Amino acid sequence: MFELEKEVKETQQVVVEEMDSAMVKIEQVREEELEGFTNFVMGLINQSGQITVERVHKLLSLLLYDSVAGQLTQEEVKTFLDKKVKQKLLAFTGGVYKKPK
């Protein structure tokens, strides 16, 4: 019985490790897909000069509804835009995103 319990625990550990690895890969693929929408967002900002996270979220949901970007929550869109601010691709002031100076 002890051997069986040990084998079950080892199998569980392998499954957990494989699931963790799969989740990391899924997140990496998702990040890569989101990076492809940077040009889309930059185009929106070029057209209007500035844009709110709510507007970006709405446009992604309407225009790209069948893609990863179209399925994002508003909070996820904000996280994505804030990442672009940290990369100095966007600026954020007064509640709007715009091109950096």
Side-chain angles (χ1 to χ4, degrees), residues 81-99:
L81 294 173
D82 290 344
K83 186 176 179 182
K84 297 303 162 196
V85 171
K86 288 180 185 174
Q87 294 171 344
K88 307 236 186 278
L89 296 174
L90 294 175
F92 181 74
T93 54
V96 296
Y97 294 88
K98 50 188 163 187
K99 288 202 267 185

Side-chain angles (χ1 to χ4, degrees), residues 23-45:
M23 292 303 292
V24 167
K25 288 178 185 175
I26 289 169
E27 189 60 31
Q28 288 172 341
V29 168
R30 186 170 185 246
E31 285 293 320
E32 289 171 9
E33 288 181 17
L34 289 178
E35 285 303 315
F37 297 107
T38 301
N39 289 337
F40 177 79
V41 171
M42 297 305 286
L44 293 174
I45 292 171

Side-chain angles (χ1 to χ4, degrees), residues 34-87:
L34 289 178
E35 285 303 315
F37 297 107
T38 301
N39 289 337
F40 177 79
V41 171
M42 297 305 286
L44 293 174
I45 292 171
N46 284 335
Q47 287 181 349
S48 63
Q50 62 185 24
I51 197 164
T52 64
V53 68
E54 294 85 6
R55 182 82 175 134
V56 173
H57 178 253
K58 184 172 186 166
L59 289 170
L60 288 173
S61 297
L62 290 172
L63 301 174
L64 303 172
Y65 62 90
D66 61 345
S67 70
V68 170
Q71 303 300 316
L72 296 175
T73 65
Q74 188 168 309
E75 186 61 34
E76 290 170 321
V77 171
K78 181 173 181 5
T79 300
F80 173 75
L81 294 173
D82 290 344
K83 186 176 179 182
K84 297 303 162 196
V85 171
K86 288 180 185 174
Q87 294 171 344

